[in-house]
Amino acid sequence: MSTEPATSAEREDRVLERIDKFRQRRPRLLDEVVTLAHGAGGKSSAALVDAVFVEAFRNDELEQLGDAAALALPSGERIAFSTDSYVVQPRRFPGGSIGHLAVHGTVNDLAVSGARPQWLSAAFVIEEGFPIAELKEIVADMSEAAILSGVQIVTGDTKVVGKGAADGVYISTAGVGVIPEGRRLSPGLVRPGDKVVLSGTIGEHGMAVMLARGDLAIEADIASDTAPVNGLVETLLAAAPSTRWMRDATRGGVGTVCNELAKAAQVAVIIDEETLPIQPQVLGACDMLGIDPLYVANEGKFVAIVAADEAEAAVTAMRAHPHGANAAVVGEILVEPPGIVALRTSFGGSRIVDMLVGDPLPRIC
């Protein structure tokens, strides 16, 4: 047994090994009651989903934990099926409303799963006393969003609950899209050397909603980025047909999405801070509030893992699309340390980007 002192590289390897062993543990649900953190999209959410829902409903499709389930029809065609609920406050904010989110969110979940969205359902839980005029405005926003997204809302449901039993209105949408023949997206396809592509600037939605609540004495010209990404996804896939995987960076932001990929694919995701597209006003608001923009929610942006030889073509094509003007290569995939996301800082150092812990933002969708 050597008695020579360990080098700095050896010490770093040991630390990373311990971190990796800890991160590979199955998430544990230790809480006795549901908290807001369980809905924030980070570690608490993962523990709740794993311990309660996956445990009860376990099946091969569910255990993929994707934005949508990819299902094979008896005819051999493949479809994607997704569902989501929207409870945001305030219901209207700079750049959008709960109605826009209800359509865009489900359309985007289908799109990043490789599907072409086709049909949506919409269910409303409405509190007694809710103004009909406001309900009409929300529905008009949904209609507008559906037309721009190229989908139809074909079925739905309405429930009214007593005053005080809901916070105005809650909306749930489910969607179905058709997956083109031969299209495959999976963490299992990700390879070392692949590039991390971001479709645009990050953090606008979460910060727009937070500032719109009026609880903070901060004024900034920040609008939500809520938008359908299905057209941009098709543009990317046409330019980079070997694209491995995609995920829209909603709750938990880009940091959490990259952690989900690193864990699922057992690779290292390395992000370059200097290449991250962030609006100055968003970065300034995050700095004032002590919030890392990597964890701030987006509603019109996605992360894609693209083959290295297709990355330049992918970004060029995306920048020519109205929703992809700020697309950029922001990182790469490495072999080690597996399951880790790291940020190369503008100061020349690096830091680990862990999965979101707690609930730093108000509900954003």
Side-chain angles (χ1 to χ4, degrees):
M1 181 176 178
S2 175
T3 58
E4 295 182 6
T7 66
S8 59
E10 290 172 336
R11 290 194 296 271
E12 182 178 352
D13 287 343
R14 291 173 187 172
V15 171
L16 289 173
E17 183 180 357
R18 288 196 293 269
I19 291 173
D20 184 52
K21 287 181 178 179
F22 178 80
R23 287 163 59 88
Q24 293 309 311
R25 295 177 184 173
R26 184 176 176 178
R28 297 175 60 196
L29 182 64
L30 302 177
D31 305 276
E32 295 184 358
V33 297
V34 175
T35 70
L36 288 175
H38 291 118
K43 287 186 175 181
S44 295
S45 295
L48 181 71
V49 168
D50 183 78
V52 177
F53 303 113
V54 174
E55 185 66 28
F57 304 140
R58 192 174 300 280
N59 58 71
D60 291 342
E61 286 74 20
L62 179 64
E63 288 181 47
Q64 300 304 309
L65 295 178
D67 282 330
L71 307 170
L73 299 177
S75 63
E77 293 180 295
R78 297 170 65 235
I79 63 170
F81 179 38
S82 183
T83 188
D84 213 334
S85 298
Y86 302 87
V87 298
V88 66
Q89 281 290 352
R91 290 182 288 273
R92 190 167 296 279
F93 41 81
S97 74
I98 190 174
H100 294 112
L101 291 180
V103 173
H104 295 159
T106 297
V107 165
N108 294 350
D109 282 348
L110 294 170
V112 297
S113 299
R116 292 172 178 160
Q118 301 288 324
W119 305 284
L120 267 61
S121 71
F124 297 80
V125 176
I126 308 169
E127 182 183 12
E128 178 187 15
F130 192 78
I132 294 294
E134 184 177 355
L135 183 61
K136 286 184 175 180
E137 290 176 355
I138 291 171
V139 171
D141 290 341
M142 294 179 68
S143 176
E144 174 190 58
I147 291 170
L148 292 176
S149 302
V151 299
Q152 292 180 303
I153 299 174
V154 295
T155 188
D157 184 47
T158 304
K159 294 290 187 294
V160 178
V161 298
K163 195 166 185 65
D167 193 2
V169 62
Y170 302 148
I171 304 173
S172 294
T173 52
V176 175
V178 178
I179 302 174
E181 185 177 358
R183 183 176 290 181
R184 293 287 189 277
L185 296 170
S186 168
L189 299 175
V190 174
R191 297 289 181 267
D194 290 344
K195 300 299 183 181
V196 181
V197 173
L198 189 55
S199 68
T201 52
I202 62 173
E204 288 104 310
H205 179 69
M207 297 313 299
V209 170
M210 174 173 275
L211 299 183
R213 293 185 65 175
D215 296 335
L216 303 169
I218 299 176
E219 292 186 8
D221 184 18
I222 301 174
S224 169
D225 65 336
T226 182
V229 302
N230 47 331
L232 185 58
V233 164
E234 293 297 327
T235 297
L236 166 64
L237 293 175
S242 299
T243 295
R244 321 295 197 191
W245 175 91
M246 285 184 284
R247 181 67 60 87
D248 58 334
T250 53
R251 291 179 302 170
V254 171
T256 295
V257 163
C258 288
N259 270 277
E260 291 171 346
L261 171 65
K263 182 177 179 180
Q266 277 303 287
V267 295
V269 180
I270 311 299
I271 304 297
D272 291 309
E273 185 175 39
E274 289 188 341
T275 63
L276 285 172
I278 308 175
Q279 292 182 1
Q281 58 269 39
V282 171
L283 186 58
C286 287
D287 285 344
M288 292 179 67
L289 296 170
I291 295 173
D292 188 336
L294 281 172
Y295 296 119
V296 179
N298 313 273
E299 287 292 346
K301 305 292 167 35
F302 62 89
V303 176
I305 306 302
V306 177
D309 60 354
E310 295 180 347
E312 183 177 349
V315 170
T316 299
M318 293 171 73
R319 286 178 176 174
H321 190 281
H323 292 150
N326 295 297
V329 174
V330 298
E332 61 183 334
I333 303 298
L334 300 181
V335 175
E336 294 182 343
I340 296 291
V341 178
L343 182 76
R344 293 174 180 148
T345 70
S346 56
F347 298 104
S350 63
R351 65 176 174 88
I352 290 177
V353 179
D354 202 357
M355 205 166 191
L356 177 67
V357 178
D359 183 28
L361 295 170
R363 62 195 197 195
I364 46 77
C365 64

